[in-house]
Amino acid sequence: VRRVEGDADGRLDMEGLRRALDGARLFVINAASNVLGTRLDVEALAALARDAGVISLVDSAQAAGHLPFDTAASGVDLVAFTGHKGMLGPHGIGGLWVREGIGVDPLLRGGTGGNSLLPGMPDAYPDHLEAGTQNAPAMAGLLAGIEFVLDQSVERIATHARALKARLRAGLADVPGIRLRSPAAPDGAPIVTFTADTVDPNTLAARLDRQHGVLVRPGLHCAPDAHRLLGTEATGAVRMSLGWASTETDVDRAVGAIRAILADETVAASIP
Ligand SMILES: Cc1ncc(COP(=O)(O)O)c(C=O)c1O
């Protein structure tokens, strides 16, 4: 595996990328970072991969349902998504979009799809990848989530969250002792990552939850390298996420809660 470096604004080292693509078989990128909230130029990167003769795979876990993306027009070969984030589906289900002409081997094998005469799994998609009995309840839940998202429209959800993200950043920037860590990235994922000078992320998150009913995610967010870029790999950070259901009142309440916690001397200096 060759890793391509980035910077704290979510920009990739393009020279390093060109070197990494040379002779590679698969180019994997995140559509959006779950720590920086930045969005990659998936179309341009897919074109680079194509020119280098490398198959491209976009992990859209942090973007699907949050940010508009035209899969077929993007030039990407494979797009993976998870069901339980912006698609509003249940846990344990996700999807893989496969461009016509790209072959994918099954990870698991079992059953013969719709043709009992076959000795193994069919060659036709999606049956080719669907081993065993399908998780029909999760599929029904995911379908309901997708229908809701399409009904709301991803553009509308993105515009709504974008305005709230700007409001949240402005509110947090105004709280003494808060350090915004993620870049503004208005077109990116609807998240804001920050630290507090006098309260560690876990304490802040626990207080927000127990005392104010505000849920945030502290820590390294399964992405230590992204935290290294932000300089928060030792302490982690707090990430706030916005979505279709978030309101201006939610944002203002959350900012007020953080202000109150930081002003409470009993939690001051909890940074290890
Ligand atoms: C970029 C990215 N890919 C994949 C996942 C995991 O997806 P799943 O929960 O479907 O395994 C996550 C988050 O959990 C993620 O942020």
Side-chain angles (χ1 to χ4, degrees), residues 8-270:
D9 285 321
R11 284 183 298 248
L12 286 186
D13 165 12
M14 296 307 282
E15 236 351 274
L17 173 58
R18 284 197 180 84
R19 278 198 306 276
L21 283 175
D22 189 20
R25 291 174 60 201
L26 182 67
F27 172 49
V28 184
I29 46 172
N30 270 348
S33 163
N34 68 330
V35 173
L36 277 63
T38 48
R39 175 183 202 166
L40 287 176
D41 185 348
V42 168
E43 289 81 359
L45 293 171
L48 271 185
R50 200 170 44 249
D51 291 348
V54 181
I55 292 175
S56 54
L57 162 62
V58 171
D59 179 340
S60 71
Q62 299 291 338
H66 290 297
L67 304 173
F69 179 66
D70 186 338
T71 299
S74 67
V76 174
D77 296 312
L78 302 158
V79 178
F81 68 90
T82 183
H84 68 93
K85 298 182 191 283
M87 304 300 247
L88 310 179
H91 289 184
I93 188 166
L96 179 67
W97 178 90
V98 181
R99 175 176 296 288
E100 197 75 46
I102 299 284
V104 179
D105 284 336
L107 182 63
L108 302 167
R109 292 174 189 271
T112 54
N115 185 351
S116 297
L117 287 172
L118 289 175
M121 290 171 70
D123 289 336
Y125 294 96
D127 310 37
H128 186 56
L129 301 176
E130 293 183 338
T133 302
Q134 297 307 301
N135 186 357
M139 288 176 177
L142 177 58
L143 177 63
I146 291 172
E147 283 173 348
F148 179 85
V149 167
L150 291 178
D151 185 50
Q152 296 278 314
S153 115
V154 178
E155 276 79 11
R156 230 178 44 223
I157 292 172
T159 305
H160 173 70
R162 180 183 182 157
L164 292 182
K165 181 176 179 176
R167 188 181 184 95
L168 179 57
R169 286 185 65 87
L172 288 173
D174 200 38
V175 178
I178 287 292
R179 271 202 270 174
L180 289 174
R181 299 291 193 154
S182 54
D187 291 333
I191 61 165
V192 180
T193 304
F194 62 92
T195 53
D197 288 344
T198 51
V199 185
D200 76 274
N202 290 327
T203 304
L204 184 52
R207 288 245 176 175
L208 279 169
D209 178 7
R210 288 180 205 154
Q211 298 173 339
H212 300 273
V214 176
L215 293 179
V216 299
R217 175 96 184 265
L220 293 176
H221 311 99
C222 311
D225 285 344
H227 278 277
R228 187 169 46 75
L229 295 177
L230 296 184
T232 49
E233 75 272 37
T235 56
V238 176
R239 181 189 65 195
M240 290 190 130
S241 309
L242 301 153
W244 67 273
S246 312
T247 64
E248 289 186 350
T249 310
D250 293 337
V251 168
D252 296 348
R253 265 197 55 217
V255 171
I258 289 167
R259 192 184 288 277
I261 292 168
L262 295 197
D264 178 352
E265 285 171 8
T266 62
V267 294
S270 66

